[in-house]
Amino acid sequence: METPPDGIVGPEPGTLSPEQLQQLRDFKIQTRIANEKYLRTHKEVSLLISGFFREVLLERPDNILEFAARSSGALRATLPSAWISKLCGPSPVTGVFKAPH
């Protein structure tokens, strides 16, 4: 290890202390818990992701980022009725599928 110009020898710059590492671990755990709660209350997220993957595998675009930029609005706007029924179920009054909230 080369001696720094000021002569002070210590941990590498950017190295986290044990306390900082524990704070980072706690933050990651809390973020995962919050994300899991969100995904469990918003089932449409997994359906949208599934729909996107389906479209990617059907079309097999060379540039997936460009494909995603072009199609993301269309995918959100055209949820198949089978997905809508999973999300909302038919209206008890009309029997017609309700739009997701």
Side-chain angles (χ1 to χ4, degrees):
M1 182 167 141
E2 196 174 307
T3 304
D6 59 6
I8 298 174
V9 178
E12 292 287 321
T15 303
L16 298 177
S17 70
E19 296 83 20
Q20 290 171 322
L21 285 171
Q22 186 58 48
Q23 287 176 340
L24 179 60
R25 282 187 206 103
D26 292 344
F27 174 77
K28 286 180 176 182
I29 290 168
Q30 292 306 314
T31 300
R32 281 188 170 187
I33 290 170
N35 290 346
E36 182 68 25
K37 285 179 181 179
Y38 180 83
L39 291 173
R40 286 177 187 228
T41 59
H42 295 280
K43 304 280 187 206
E44 67 272 22
V45 173
S46 65
L47 294 174
L48 289 169
I49 291 169
S50 296
F52 176 74
F53 282 145
R54 179 182 177 276
E55 294 298 317
V56 166
L57 294 173
L58 286 173
E59 294 195 26
R60 299 190 184 271
D62 290 329
N63 187 330
I64 293 178
L65 294 176
E66 183 180 300
F67 175 80
R70 260 193 351 261
S71 64
S72 62
L75 286 173
R76 282 194 302 264
T78 58
L79 281 177
S81 60
W83 294 2
I84 293 173
S85 67
K86 285 183 183 178
L87 290 171
C88 307
S91 165
V93 176
T94 64
V96 176
F97 293 107
K98 301 177 283 183
H101 304 290

